[in-house]
Amino acid sequence: MATPTHHQNSTNLTKKKKTLKNPEANFLFELNSCSKSKDLKAAISLYESAISSKTRLNQHHFNTLLYLCSTFATDPHSRDLALQYGFRVFDHMVAVNIHPNEASITAIARLAVAKGDGDYAFEMVKKLGDYQVTPRLRTYEPALFCFCQKLEAEKAYEVEEDINKMGLSLEEPQIAALLKVSADTGRGERVYSYLHKLRRSVRWVSEETEKILEDWFCCKASEIGSEGAKYDVGLVKEVISRNGGGWHGFGWIGEGKWVVRKGNVEPNGRCCCCREQLDCVDIDDEETEKFAFSVAGLAMEREVKANFREFQDWLEKNANYEAIVDGANIGLYQQNFAEGGFSLLQLDAVIKEMYTRSGNKWPLVILHKKRVRALLENPSSRKLVEEWMDKGVLYTTPHGSNDDWYWLYAAVKLRCLLVTNDEMRDHIFELLGSSFFLKWKERHQVRYTFLKGALKLLMPPTYSIVIQESGKGSWHVPIVCDSEEETSRTWLCITRPGDCEDGGKTCEIVDVPCLKSAISEAGDPEILSSENRNHENSDDKTTSMTAEHDCDAASATP
């Protein structure tokens, strides 16, 4: 066996001395091991040893201990120990003048809520400002959820107000909690407001949120409409149009029991429960103007201003187009082969197809001047291009310009379709932000393919998979779905009796597309009332119910 050299012994001794001289590092190493293995008792033992040996603890040490304690605060077997040491560790942290950060406050807020003290949790969040630390949404969650569970609605709304002041955005779990406490305490207008917040925040809801909505619409408190629940039909339609479709925001329309059903939506966007047509939701008027202004502003920074202003002026005088065509994108589609070039035939096929689809209205093709000049110089393409020019089909962008800005601005400004396979992921489009860009693309972009030379257009969807409020006051709520087939997605259909095409009779929708239940001998479809629906076999997907019972605690709320 080899004998260690003097140099090796010296090195090992140096490492050992460094380890012995750095108890804080040793403590952190062992504490992290406890955190990874979720060993609370070992971590507490380490903490006690550190105090006995007067080891200097830093913020990271305290946060690791607080995290472990908050993790075990809901465990029945470790709860008391976690609470005892959690608050002790936090007091120790403050006593040695180590300022808590967001992680520290989040942990102590969770500990406070574990013993039912939402007020303390919220107070701790508000103290973060004293340390110049910005809270995160998770920092508010313990207090918010605590108040909601205890039906302390006003306190929950106060937390929400503070979240808004910090510029944070609520997500589905927080909105659902606020919606539930509002429903359980009979605050119908608040429920309406949170339902719209949910509409703006998510495309579809979780099964947990769907159950909250189902319970609300099946309770007595939901039967009352908003003040002046009858609105001018024409005004409601006008507002829905200005909003881009899918909602009006006036409040609950109509009065009486709601009919709550689950079913599918046909590929054409018609609800299989109530037969109502769902909207393909667009961005609203204000967002459209803001979008067009942003595109123009960015284009002005990158293009010759005079050129782009000339295009804007031209577009103002020629605003009757219903479709914009990205000429280069189509002409160069699948042309990356030896004989490939610019396919005039492909572009012509798209132009003619859009002309036919729009009731004999020519689309506007945006194409670079250099490309048009080359086509005009080619005898085989000159005649067709001249025809397009005579019909007002072509707008040629000047030398040195990026035609992307032109076709995008035209499509936004004229609120029309845009034929392109460009996914608009370039950095120039990222500058526009994604708040409503994706919604706009879904509603306006027409994609295409050529299969063996035959054109196939992929038109925008006939309806949007988002929460929708109709002019009749009904609601349609998509529920989370694992299938890629949208026709198999289950929707919550919520209507007032009389809104359905079948005269208001309630019907059962089973978990197959558009299949109504058999009519009973009395001539009415079978109804699952809110009293017996929870006793149905859980494997039975048939759900149709009417509002029959009071919300919990609603009657106690003024």
Side-chain angles (χ1 to χ4, degrees), residues 294-312 366-369 395-409 427-429 431:
S294 297
V295 174
L298 290 169
M300 292 288 196
E301 293 174 7
R302 289 158 176 76
E303 300 287 313
V304 177
K305 287 185 179 181
N307 290 339
F308 198 79
R309 283 198 180 120
E310 182 181 337
F311 174 63
Q312 288 180 297
I366 304 293
L367 205 56
H368 200 277
K369 184 174 287 186
Y395 186 91
T396 57
T397 58
H399 292 291
S401 64
N402 182 345
D403 55 2
D404 290 6
W405 291 116
Y406 290 77
W407 51 251
L408 179 59
Y409 178 78
H427 68 281
I428 58 172
F429 298 114
L431 295 172

Side-chain angles (χ1 to χ4, degrees), residues 277-466:
Q277 178 66 42
L278 300 188
D279 286 341
C280 186
V281 179
D282 200 353
I283 59 178
D284 62 34
D285 286 2
E286 185 180 341
E287 289 172 329
T288 299
E289 288 303 316
K290 189 185 298 182
F291 192 8
F293 183 80
S294 297
V295 174
L298 290 169
M300 292 288 196
E301 293 174 7
R302 289 158 176 76
E303 300 287 313
V304 177
K305 287 185 179 181
N307 290 339
F308 198 79
R309 283 198 180 120
E310 182 181 337
F311 174 63
Q312 288 180 297
D313 293 339
W314 181 89
L315 204 61
E316 288 289 336
K317 298 171 185 175
N318 299 271
N320 295 323
Y321 294 100
E322 294 185 0
I324 308 299
V325 176
D326 178 2
N329 184 267
I330 295 164
L332 297 172
Y333 178 73
Q334 291 184 340
Q335 296 300 304
N336 54 341
F337 55 93
E339 293 80 23
F342 186 90
S343 176
L344 201 67
L345 292 177
Q346 288 181 175
L347 182 53
D348 188 47
V350 170
I351 291 171
K352 287 177 178 175
E353 180 64 22
M354 294 307 295
Y355 174 78
T356 302
R357 285 176 180 259
S358 62
N360 298 338
K361 275 192 167 185
W362 293 107
L364 174 63
V365 178
I366 304 293
L367 205 56
H368 200 277
K369 184 174 287 186
K370 182 180 178 181
R371 181 77 61 187
V372 174
R373 179 177 294 174
L375 292 170
L376 287 171
E377 290 174 354
N378 186 336
S380 64
S381 59
R382 183 187 303 123
K383 184 179 178 181
L384 181 56
V385 174
E386 286 176 344
E387 285 179 8
W388 291 346
M389 296 174 76
D390 291 340
K391 291 169 181 173
V393 171
L394 272 181
Y395 186 91
T396 57
T397 58
H399 292 291
S401 64
N402 182 345
D403 55 2
D404 290 6
W405 291 116
Y406 290 77
W407 51 251
L408 179 59
Y409 178 78
V412 175
K413 187 66 177 177
L414 302 186
R415 305 185 184 200
C416 58
L417 296 175
L418 171 63
V419 188
T420 182
N421 280 350
D422 193 324
E423 290 301 329
M424 294 170 262
R425 295 196 186 103
D426 295 348
H427 68 281
I428 58 172
F429 298 114
E430 290 176 6
L431 295 172
L432 298 169
S434 59
S435 58
F436 46 75
F437 193 19
L438 293 178
K439 186 194 290 187
W440 181 87
K441 278 177 61 179
E442 182 181 86
R443 174 67 179 83
H444 292 271
Q445 186 172 4
V446 178
R447 295 174 176 84
Y448 62 88
T449 58
F450 283 92
L451 300 174
K452 296 181 179 179
L455 169 66
K456 181 180 179 182
L457 292 180
L458 307 174
M459 303 300 288
T462 54
Y463 68 101
S464 297
I465 303 162
V466 293

Side-chain angles (χ1 to χ4, degrees), residues 202-216:
V202 299
R203 290 182 66 87
W204 47 75
V205 301
S206 65
E207 292 179 354
E208 294 78 11
T209 302
E210 178 269 322
K211 180 66 167 57
I212 293 169
L213 292 173
E214 189 179 296
D215 289 344
W216 161 253

Side-chain angles (χ1 to χ4, degrees), residues 97-309:
N97 292 320
I98 293 179
H99 288 176
N101 63 8
E102 182 274 331
S104 319
I105 297 299
T106 298
I108 203 66
R110 289 170 180 166
L111 287 164
V113 165
K115 63 174 189 175
D117 195 347
D119 293 305
Y120 182 78
F122 190 31
E123 282 301 315
M124 293 309 300
V125 177
K126 288 190 282 189
K127 283 183 179 178
L128 267 177
D130 298 341
Y131 304 109
Q132 287 78 49
V133 175
T134 303
R136 293 164 60 183
L137 188 58
R138 69 172 188 174
T139 322
Y140 287 99
E141 279 186 337
L144 179 65
F145 291 153
C146 181
F147 291 142
C148 289
Q149 288 164 5
K150 295 170 76 173
L151 299 183
E152 295 179 315
E154 293 301 331
K155 290 182 178 180
Y157 301 150
E158 187 182 345
V159 175
E160 182 198 6
E161 187 178 340
D162 212 63
I163 290 172
N164 293 335
K165 285 180 182 176
M166 297 306 300
L168 300 170
S169 298
L170 295 175
E171 296 174 357
E172 183 179 357
Q174 299 85 39
I175 299 172
L178 286 161
L179 195 155
K180 186 176 190 305
V181 73
S182 301
D184 290 347
T185 55
R187 291 169 165 86
E189 296 308 307
R190 283 279 190 172
V191 174
Y192 183 83
S193 172
Y194 289 122
L195 190 46
H196 272 290
K197 287 186 179 182
L198 202 59
R199 176 189 60 78
R200 291 191 294 269
S201 301
V202 299
R203 290 182 66 87
W204 47 75
V205 301
S206 65
E207 292 179 354
E208 294 78 11
T209 302
E210 178 269 322
K211 180 66 167 57
I212 293 169
L213 292 173
E214 189 179 296
D215 289 344
W216 161 253
F217 284 104
C218 284
C219 80
K220 190 76 175 174
S222 72
E223 296 178 13
I224 306 300
S226 300
E227 185 177 347
K230 293 183 179 179
Y231 295 93
D232 178 81
V233 175
L235 177 61
V236 172
K237 285 184 177 179
E238 181 186 337
V239 170
I240 290 175
S241 177
R242 285 205 307 263
N243 290 344
W247 69 282
H248 53 75
F250 277 116
W252 304 117
I253 290 182
E255 293 181 341
K257 297 176 182 178
W258 293 92
V259 181
V260 181
R261 292 166 289 186
K262 286 183 184 177
N264 307 116
V265 172
E266 295 174 356
N268 63 4
R270 191 172 288 276
C271 174
C272 297
C273 298
C274 67
R275 309 306 298 161
E276 189 163 10
Q277 178 66 42
L278 300 188
D279 286 341
C280 186
V281 179
D282 200 353
I283 59 178
D284 62 34
D285 286 2
E286 185 180 341
E287 289 172 329
T288 299
E289 288 303 316
K290 189 185 298 182
F291 192 8
F293 183 80
S294 297
V295 174
L298 290 169
M300 292 288 196
E301 293 174 7
R302 289 158 176 76
E303 300 287 313
V304 177
K305 287 185 179 181
N307 290 339
F308 198 79
R309 283 198 180 120

